[in-house]
Amino acid sequence: MPALSVSKLSMSFGERTLFEDMSFEVESRDKVGLIGRNGVGKTTLFKIICGELEPASGVVARERGLNVGYMEQHACSAGSRSIYDELESVFDELKQMENEIEKITITIEHSTGDLTELIARQTELIERFERDGGLTYKSRTRSALIGLGFREAEFDMPTSALSGGQRSKLSLLKLLLSKSDLLLLDEPTNHLDIASVAWLEGFLRDFKGAMIIISHDRYFLDAVTNKTVEIEHGKCMTYKGAYSEFIKKKQAYEQALENKYKNDLKEIQRIEGIIEQQKRWNRERNIRTAESKQKEIDRIKAQMVEPDGALEGIRMRFEPRHESGNDVLMAKDLSKSFGDKHLFKDVDMHITKGERVFILGDNGCGKTTLFRILNGKMRPDTGEYEYGAMVDVGYFDQMQENLNLNNTAIDEIWNTYPRMTETKIRTSLAAFLFKGDEVYKPLSAMSGGERARISLLKLMLGGYNLLLLDEPTNHLDASSREALEDTLLHYEGTLLIISHDRYFINKLADRVLAMTKDGLTEYLGNYDNYLERISAQPASASSESAPAKKQEKPLNDYQLKKLRQSEERKRKTRLMRTEAEIEELEAAVEELQAELSEEEVQSDYERLMALTAELEEKQSRLEELYELWAELQE
């Protein structure tokens, strides 16, 4: 029996139907990625599974004794209890056992009477204590706090002094360490830097139970999940495999569905021609044939599945007003401190035209502060920076402080670009999915994702040739992230980006700058290349005696760049060959379908069977090529 079974589940709020007839199963060791656009009902589904909401119809069946853990049930209290004690409270049952064992031990040591019952109770408690992890709960508490970015110096800090993000992290840890058999994780990577996400991935991979994860972090889903459930058009589909495999399978499935639908329509049209012909002959035998063919059409129509229309996505295109010089940004010896808190020093960088450079680093290392300096909103303590000739700088602020929350969507754009006509502004807003009366929605009432779309639209309309983007994919769902990636891939300007989105970094990065308090270390390539290089560094490279800045060897960088260019050429060549073969096969399929519709073929059984077999073979090869094409495009 599966750990969790969802059967024909439907949910509505008023006249709005979120989803209907949703069915899927979660086995005892499954790690399921639950994906879909914002607002499709993912969090509502979690509340139904937990019993907080009643569905309109359908059943959620749990395995007997299944303990479901949901982050909201493990909220962090904002009191005087320390961070360490708050997390260790998850093990209160073990602590009570530990105290009882200690009391019984003391009693046995000082007692002279019959100790049989006490010794039996002591033995039972010790066995339970060890079986339930009593010997390691303190070390697990400490390692979990460190793994998710808390410093030992902060362990005694009261939870009331924590920020919202820190409280969320502590609530997540309480959930992870609870005795749950099924974890429901809603955006668990929010507020985490890359190092903390890597720790979380390792923890979840080793977790012995099941889990369902809502996340827009595609790299994280690839690293952790083995099954994907997508909610789209009010329905759900289940795919084996993580996010990247799901994308390939979904594209192949949709292409196959589209092909079958078109073939069914052609077959119906062909049979209708036969029926029309038989009716014209108007003999009894012809009428019976026409009736038989009509039944065949009815059977085809009964099993036809019309493909769902593609969901509308944001349409954006960043086009610089003019071209910059080759040297875009030069910075030397930048440093910044706030009182006794030293953020960074010795920051050097040289960004040239057309580069796509990403800055990585732990939370709190000063990445956003560096961007504020480069954007003129803050002065460095030391050092200087300079922009090259004809450089226009556009800045995406992850805190969205550039937005006036009292404005409506249309006013926010109009105030920034007063020369635009209302028609052009409304057209631009529509491209970012603000239509009709939505253009009059105040920013204060918008979600984080909606505000991010407004910020991106303002940036797009500016025509900048250098974009400083601070966590631009935060708050965006997967489809919007992919639209942004595709846009930036074709952007002819220069990009300097702060991001924790490793999938995003992999798609775009030419260079990675790893930031610490001692400056920037450069790595050529994307995130996976960066991981390869740091994992290949000897252990001494991370010791305190090692130089603060370890620059890559130019020869290695050159070789890596040539290798990447060679691989890209090979990919493009395979893509062109695949597209040519697809075009050739599609033409052959059309010819076969036309030949099958001819009357003389219909009366020649052997010819009909031979052509049908050939058609099936070519269609099967086409499906393989569609899947290969999708993989090469990715």
Side-chain angles (χ1 to χ4, degrees):
M1 177 183 174
L4 180 77
S5 178
V6 173
S7 178
K8 296 188 176 299
L9 206 66
S10 299
M11 189 64 185
S12 301
F13 290 103
E15 295 182 357
R16 185 190 174 206
T17 299
L18 278 181
F19 46 78
E20 57 185 351
D21 290 332
M22 178 186 293
S23 299
F24 64 90
E25 293 182 343
V26 180
E27 300 295 336
S28 59
R29 292 293 182 92
D30 272 346
K31 295 173 172 59
V32 181
L34 179 61
I35 65 173
R37 288 195 170 188
N38 293 333
V40 297
K42 302 186 295 294
T43 300
T44 299
L45 176 61
F46 271 14
K47 292 181 183 294
I48 291 172
I49 292 172
C50 289
E52 294 180 20
L53 288 176
E54 282 293 324
S57 63
V59 176
V60 175
R62 301 184 193 177
E63 189 178 30
R64 180 174 293 180
L66 185 77
N67 185 14
V68 178
Y70 185 34
M71 190 162 161
E72 290 186 5
Q73 299 167 337
H74 295 269
C76 166
S77 63
S80 58
R81 188 153 57 174
S82 71
I83 293 173
Y84 183 90
D85 289 341
E86 177 71 19
L87 183 56
E88 200 182 56
S89 67
V90 172
F91 302 111
D92 279 348
E93 187 179 344
L94 287 172
K95 291 163 74 175
Q96 290 169 6
M97 271 194 278
E98 192 173 33
N99 290 334
E100 189 177 351
I101 291 169
E102 188 176 347
K103 288 178 182 178
I104 290 174
T105 301
I106 292 172
T107 302
I108 291 173
E109 288 176 354
H110 295 86
S111 179
T112 56
D114 185 0
L115 303 177
T116 305
E117 289 187 10
L118 277 177
I119 291 173
R121 175 64 176 164
Q122 181 192 48
T123 302
E124 177 196 350
L125 283 172
I126 289 173
E127 288 176 353
R128 275 179 54 200
F129 183 74
E130 292 179 354
R131 184 180 66 246
D132 293 346
L135 299 177
T136 60
Y137 79 87
K138 291 183 179 179
S139 62
R140 278 188 286 158
T141 300
R142 178 182 174 279
S143 64
L145 286 168
I146 292 173
L148 230 54
F150 290 98
R151 300 189 303 274
E152 290 205 55
E154 298 173 327
F155 285 5
D156 294 328
M157 182 189 297
T159 55
S160 58
L162 296 180
S163 66
Q166 288 174 315
R167 271 200 290 273
S168 294
K169 288 201 289 187
L170 197 51
S171 297
L172 174 61
L173 285 175
K174 290 177 69 177
L175 171 60
L176 296 178
L177 296 182
S178 68
K179 294 169 66 175
S180 298
D181 307 303
L182 171 64
L183 298 178
L184 303 180
L185 303 173
D186 195 343
E187 295 291 356
T189 59
N190 280 1
H191 311 295
L192 302 185
D193 55 29
I194 288 179
S196 299
V197 173
W199 177 87
L200 179 62
E201 288 169 354
F203 184 98
L204 295 180
R205 279 195 295 265
D206 294 338
F207 180 68
K208 304 302 182 187
M211 64 188 70
I212 306 176
I213 304 169
I214 297 172
S215 181
H216 296 311
D217 187 333
R218 297 154 295 172
Y219 197 101
F220 173 74
L221 290 172
D222 274 347
V224 173
T225 61
N226 67 335
K227 183 187 289 186
T228 301
V229 174
E230 182 191 36
I231 304 178
E232 188 175 83
H233 296 295
K235 300 174 289 188
C236 88
M237 284 286 291
T238 302
Y239 301 82
K240 287 185 178 179
Y243 183 84
S244 293
E245 193 172 348
F246 144 74
I247 288 292
K248 295 172 188 175
K249 288 182 176 179
K250 182 184 178 184
Q251 288 174 342
Y253 168 76
E254 289 179 342
Q255 187 63 61
L257 195 65
E258 179 79 18
N259 290 343
K260 186 180 184 307
Y261 183 71
K262 288 179 179 178
N263 289 338
D264 286 342
L265 289 177
K266 288 179 180 178
E267 180 66 5
I268 289 171
Q269 189 177 14
R270 183 185 70 80
I271 297 173
E272 284 175 342
I274 296 172
I275 292 173
E276 182 64 29
Q277 186 182 63
Q278 295 293 328
K279 284 181 177 178
R280 282 201 306 271
W281 290 342
N282 200 27
R283 296 173 185 164
E284 184 178 348
R285 186 184 65 183
N286 302 126
I287 292 172
R288 287 199 303 271
T289 301
E291 290 172 349
S292 173
K293 291 296 183 183
Q294 184 58 52
K295 289 179 181 178
E296 190 175 342
I297 287 178
D298 293 340
R299 283 196 299 272
I300 294 173
K301 286 183 175 179
Q303 56 81 40
M304 280 178 71
V305 178
E306 184 175 357
D308 290 313
L311 290 172
E312 186 177 9
I314 57 176
R315 304 185 306 276
M316 64 177 88
R317 183 173 177 81
F318 290 95
E319 294 182 334
R321 284 191 302 266
H322 52 252
E323 192 174 343
S324 71
N326 190 59
D327 292 323
V328 174
L329 171 62
M330 295 74 68
K332 184 71 174 174
D333 295 330
L334 294 177
S335 68
K336 188 66 183 177
S337 299
F338 292 98
D340 295 334
K341 185 177 181 181
H342 166 63
L343 278 183
F344 57 80
K345 66 178 182 179
D346 297 336
V347 166
D348 301 340
M349 68 172 76
H350 186 180
I351 311 296
T352 58
K353 184 176 68 177
E355 281 195 298
R356 299 196 290 258
V357 182
F358 280 76
I359 299 179
L360 311 185
D362 295 340
N363 287 342
C365 72
K367 301 184 299 294
T368 295
T369 300
L370 174 62
F371 263 31
R372 288 177 177 273
I373 289 171
L374 297 177
N375 201 42
K377 295 182 178 294
M378 190 179 292
R379 293 184 61 84
D381 295 339
T382 63
E384 56 187 20
Y385 67 92
E386 179 184 4
Y387 290 106
M390 301 290 287
V391 173
D392 293 328
V393 184
Y395 176 47
F396 180 92
D397 179 6
Q398 68 159 320
M399 306 305 294
Q400 299 174 344
E401 293 177 358
N402 64 322
L403 301 179
N404 183 345
L405 300 187
N406 295 319
N407 279 340
T408 62
I410 192 168
D411 287 338
E412 181 68 20
I413 304 301
W414 219 336
N415 290 348
T416 308
Y417 301 100
R419 295 185 179 181
M420 288 180 66
T421 64
E422 181 176 356
T423 300
K424 190 170 182 181
I425 288 175
R426 292 183 73 106
T427 301
S428 300
L429 284 166
F432 279 69
L433 307 183
F434 295 97
K435 297 181 177 180
D437 291 341
E438 289 179 339
V439 302
Y440 301 114
K441 186 176 181 179
L443 271 63
S444 58
M446 289 184 179
S447 67
E450 288 172 320
R451 291 179 194 170
R453 297 206 308 267
I454 292 290
S455 292
L456 287 170
L457 174 55
K458 290 174 66 176
L459 202 63
M460 184 187 81
L461 295 173
Y464 306 107
N465 55 29
L466 169 62
L467 299 180
L468 304 182
L469 307 179
D470 190 356
E471 298 289 359
T473 60
N474 275 7
H475 307 296
L476 297 181
D477 57 29
S479 63
S480 297
R481 292 182 184 203
E482 286 163 5
L484 180 60
E485 286 166 357
D486 291 340
T487 299
L488 295 180
L489 275 171
H490 297 94
Y491 175 59
E492 295 180 355
T494 306
L495 296 171
L496 182 60
I497 304 175
I498 296 169
S499 182
H500 291 143
D501 187 338
R502 296 160 295 171
Y503 204 98
F504 182 62
I505 301 168
N506 264 349
K507 270 221 177 162
L508 290 171
D510 298 323
R511 267 199 295 154
V512 167
L513 302 177
M515 187 170 182
T516 67
K517 61 184 177 64
D518 295 316
L520 299 172
T521 303
E522 177 185 285
Y523 299 86
L524 191 66
N526 61 14
Y527 181 77
D528 285 344
N529 301 134
Y530 157 74
L531 277 186
E532 289 172 11
R533 305 302 281 276
I534 61 172
S535 62
Q537 290 176 2
S540 60
S542 59
S543 69
E544 292 185 5
S545 60
K549 290 188 180 183
K550 180 174 175 59
Q551 297 293 332
E552 296 292 299
K553 294 181 180 179
L555 181 60
N556 287 343
D557 285 348
Y558 175 80
Q559 290 172 333
L560 179 57
K561 186 174 182 179
K562 288 296 182 185
L563 178 61
R564 283 166 55 80
Q565 289 173 344
S566 173
E567 289 173 349
E568 177 63 10
R569 284 194 298 272
K570 290 176 184 176
R571 183 191 70 83
K572 287 182 177 178
T573 300
R574 287 189 69 197
L575 184 61
M576 289 173 61
R577 288 175 180 169
T578 302
E579 287 173 344
E581 190 176 350
I582 286 173
E583 189 175 343
E584 185 180 326
L585 267 177
E586 285 177 336
V589 165
E590 284 187 16
E591 287 178 10
L592 284 170
Q593 287 170 336
E595 195 171 348
L596 280 167
S597 66
E598 295 173 3
E599 186 178 348
E600 57 269 25
V601 172
Q602 291 293 318
S603 60
D604 185 342
Y605 176 77
E606 290 186 0
R607 179 68 175 150
L608 180 65
M609 293 305 294
L611 288 174
T612 302
E614 187 179 354
L615 178 62
E616 288 177 355
E617 181 184 345
K618 291 189 182 300
Q619 286 179 328
S620 176
R621 175 58 181 161
L622 254 182
E623 288 179 15
E624 292 175 4
L625 288 171
Y626 285 136
E627 190 166 347
L628 176 60
W629 179 86
E631 183 179 339
L632 291 170
Q633 281 284 74
E634 180 70 22

